């Protein structure tokens, strides 16, 4: 029997989902629904916008106002939705490739504008749906369909990119650390401004298989063993940090929000 969270927030007639066995994306989708349920948000006031990719299938399963848009453009659609309906909780679900490659420009400018949208990045370090190509977060040296001898690009750190571009709430969780990840999503949803929650996910089918990382359980254990709280970062030197993943809240500040600024401009114009 599906749990209350699933019955209340998912389109059960669309299930079972298409994600591979062991994929982490369902965990993140559930984390978002639990966060919405815990905060008792009015479903009619929640709008979920996704791009293209395995992550972006989530919008089709979630029983809110949803829109599945074009590759990399979820934030452009979301910006229009938020400006037209400032009272909506607009949530963008996007993958590492969708958000930081095809949609990279939309991402940095949404951060810079500080528009009140919550972006949840399902980061599995690879393009899953399109066949295992390397993405902007694939670690240096790792294998992918388009990097059969190892990726020579340096990866983006999505949280650092978001912080540097002007996002005002930035956090990273993982599909292993579910309760804290739900907590970051809740904080992001309550934050007035552009919030980014990076959810480190696992893709056993492409990333795991190409890199001979073992099963989904092994990938999960890797997330568990490598993660440290961001507060410990200062206590470790560069060498000790090499193999670590920092999780937690990277930034939480309040600065003027974009739809408020836009409203003031309209008031001036209509005087
Ligand atoms: Fe998940 Fe990877 Fe399968 Fe896509 S290809 S559904 S990311 S395991």
């Amino acid at each position: 029997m599906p749990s209350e969270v699933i019955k209340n927030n998912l389109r059960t007639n669309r299930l079972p989902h298409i994600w591979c066995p062991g994929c982490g994306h369902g965990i993140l989708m559930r984390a978002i629904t639990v966060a919405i349920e815990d905060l008792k948000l009015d479903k009619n006031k929640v709008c979920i916008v996704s791009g293209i990719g395995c992550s972006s299938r989530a919008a089709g399963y979630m029983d809110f106002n949803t829109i599945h848009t074009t590759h990399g453009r979820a934030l452009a659609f979301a910006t229009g939705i938020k400006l037209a309906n400032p009272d909506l909780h607009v949530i963008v679900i996007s993958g590492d490739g969708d958000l930081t490659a095809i949609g990279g420009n939309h991402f940095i400018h949404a951060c810079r504008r500080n528009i009140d949208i919550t972006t949840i990045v399902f980061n599995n370090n690879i393009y899953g749906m399109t066949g295992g190509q390397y993405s902007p977060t694939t670690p240096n040296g790792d294998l992918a369909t388009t990097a059969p001898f190892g990726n020579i690009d340096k990866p983006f750190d999505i949280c650092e990119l978001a912080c540097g571009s002007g996002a005002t709430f930035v956090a990273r969780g993982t599909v292993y650390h579910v309760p804290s990840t739900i907590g970051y999503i809740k904080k992001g949803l309550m934050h007035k401004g552009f919030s980014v929650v990076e959810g480190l996910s696992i893709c056993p089918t492409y990333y795991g298989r190409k890199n001979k990382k073992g099963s989904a359980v092994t990938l999960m254990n890797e997330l568990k063993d490598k993660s440290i709280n961001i507060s410990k970062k200062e206590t470790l030197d560069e060498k000790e940090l090499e193999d670590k993943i920092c999780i937690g809240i990277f930034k939480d500040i309040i600065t003027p929000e974009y739809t408020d600024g836009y409203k003031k401009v309209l008031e001036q114009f209509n005087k």
Side-chain angles (χ1 to χ4, degrees):
M1 285 288 285
S3 71
E4 286 302 306
V5 169
I6 289 175
K7 271 197 289 185
N8 294 344
N9 299 297
L10 296 189
R11 296 173 177 139
T12 50
N13 61 345
R14 294 280 180 92
L15 299 176
H17 57 69
I18 62 156
W19 291 314
C20 308
C23 178
H25 286 359
I27 297 172
L28 291 173
M29 179 175 73
R30 181 181 174 277
I32 298 168
T33 59
V34 171
I36 293 170
E37 180 117 336
D38 283 358
L39 292 172
K40 298 186 177 15
L41 301 185
D42 177 352
K43 285 178 77 163
N44 293 318
K45 294 272 177 198
V46 174
C47 181
I48 299 193
V49 187
S50 69
I52 294 292
C54 294
S55 60
S56 297
R57 295 294 302 171
Y61 302 128
M62 300 174 79
D63 192 19
F64 301 93
N65 303 291
T66 60
I67 174 167
H68 191 180
T69 71
T70 51
H71 215 347
R73 312 299 171 212
L75 272 167
F77 282 85
T79 299
I81 291 166
K82 184 69 185 180
L83 283 172
N85 304 274
D87 293 342
L88 289 182
H89 290 279
V90 179
I91 301 170
V92 165
I93 295 177
S94 186
D96 40 298
D98 189 56
L99 190 79
T100 63
I102 302 102
N105 247 335
H106 294 297
F107 181 54
I108 57 175
H109 291 288
C111 291
R112 174 172 75 88
R113 290 188 186 115
N114 193 35
I115 186 162
D116 188 22
I117 291 171
T118 302
T119 294
I120 320 283
V121 199
F122 290 21
N123 180 6
N124 56 13
N125 306 119
I126 205 156
Y127 285 88
M129 184 172 277
T130 50
Q133 297 89 348
Y134 68 91
S135 84
T137 63
T138 304
N140 189 254
D142 277 5
L143 303 174
T145 309
T146 44
F149 305 108
N151 173 32
I152 58 169
D153 285 359
K154 285 194 184 136
F156 270 147
D157 179 321
I158 292 179
C159 286
E160 296 294 352
L161 179 64
C163 289
S165 303
T168 47
F169 180 85
V170 180
R172 179 184 291 133
T174 84
V175 293
Y176 179 82
H177 304 84
V178 176
S180 52
T181 302
I182 293 170
Y184 304 145
I185 295 170
K186 282 161 75 171
K187 279 184 189 287
L189 285 169
M190 288 295 94
H191 181 79
K192 174 87 172 169
F194 193 68
S195 51
V196 178
V197 179
E198 181 184 4
L200 296 182
S201 187
I202 57 171
C203 171
T205 300
Y206 277 112
Y207 180 76
R209 189 163 50 92
K210 292 234 173 260
N211 288 284
K212 301 192 173 30
K213 292 261 185 181
S215 67
V217 175
T218 314
L219 289 167
M220 276 287 197
N221 280 330
E222 196 173 301
L223 288 176
K224 178 182 75 167
D225 297 339
K226 285 188 174 178
S227 296
I228 58 161
N229 192 279
I230 182 77
S231 59
K232 296 218 177 88
K233 190 177 175 189
E234 299 301 317
T235 65
L236 302 176
D237 62 32
E238 215 172 299
K239 186 92 192 117
E240 289 169 312
L241 278 171
E242 243 171 38
D243 205 27
K244 296 281 182 288
I245 301 165
C246 290
I247 59 174
I249 296 174
F250 286 61
K251 189 174 179 185
D252 188 2
I253 62 166
I254 293 295
T255 62
E257 191 274 325
Y258 192 74
T259 58
D260 284 347
Y262 187 64
K263 194 171 155 205
K264 282 188 196 140
V265 170
L266 285 180
E267 282 165 2
Q268 289 291 324
F269 181 76
N270 291 323
K271 255 187 193 170

